[in-house]
Amino acid sequence: MDTITMLDELQTKAKQNPEIRRVLLETRSEKNPVTAFCRKCQELGYPLYEMDLINAGEEFYATMRRSTNGGGENSPLLEGEDDFYELFFAALEG
C-alpha cells in the first residue's frame, strides 16, 4: 500500500472514530510532531515513516512537473510540492 492510500484510509478512520482522530491530532503538539504522527500510524497498523511523507510530496510534484509539457526546461513553474502531512490534518480539522 502506498503512502497516499495509507493516509486516505487513516483519514477515513479518524473521521469515523473520535478516539483515533484525537490521538492523531494530539501528535501535532509533540516536540517532533511528524515523528509522533508516524509512530501513531505504525501503532494503528500503517507502516508510515517520515521519509514516506516527504517522498510522497516530492514524487507527486515530480509527476505533475513531468506531465506538463514533457517536464523539460519549458515546463511551467508549479507552486511547490504537496505536503501530504499538512493536507492530512487540514482535511481532518476541517
Side-chain angles (χ1 to χ4, degrees), residues 27-28 30-42 48-51 53-54 83 85-86 89:
T27 65
R28 306 263 311 189
E30 296 285 331
K31 182 178 178 185
N32 296 309
V34 176
T35 301
F37 173 73
C38 289
R39 196 174 322 116
K40 286 297 174 191
C41 291
Q42 293 162 19
L48 272 175
Y49 297 90
E50 293 91 336
M51 284 309 297
L53 294 173
I54 293 166
D83 184 343
Y85 172 77
E86 291 298 332
F89 282 105

Side-chain angles (χ1 to χ4, degrees), residues 47-77:
L48 272 175
Y49 297 90
E50 293 91 336
M51 284 309 297
D52 295 329
L53 294 173
I54 293 166
N55 248 5
E58 289 179 1
E59 287 175 9
F60 185 79
Y61 177 78
T63 300
M64 290 294 291
R65 183 102 171 134
R66 283 190 303 272
S67 72
T68 56
N69 197 23
E73 292 298 316
N74 295 324
S75 293
L77 292 175

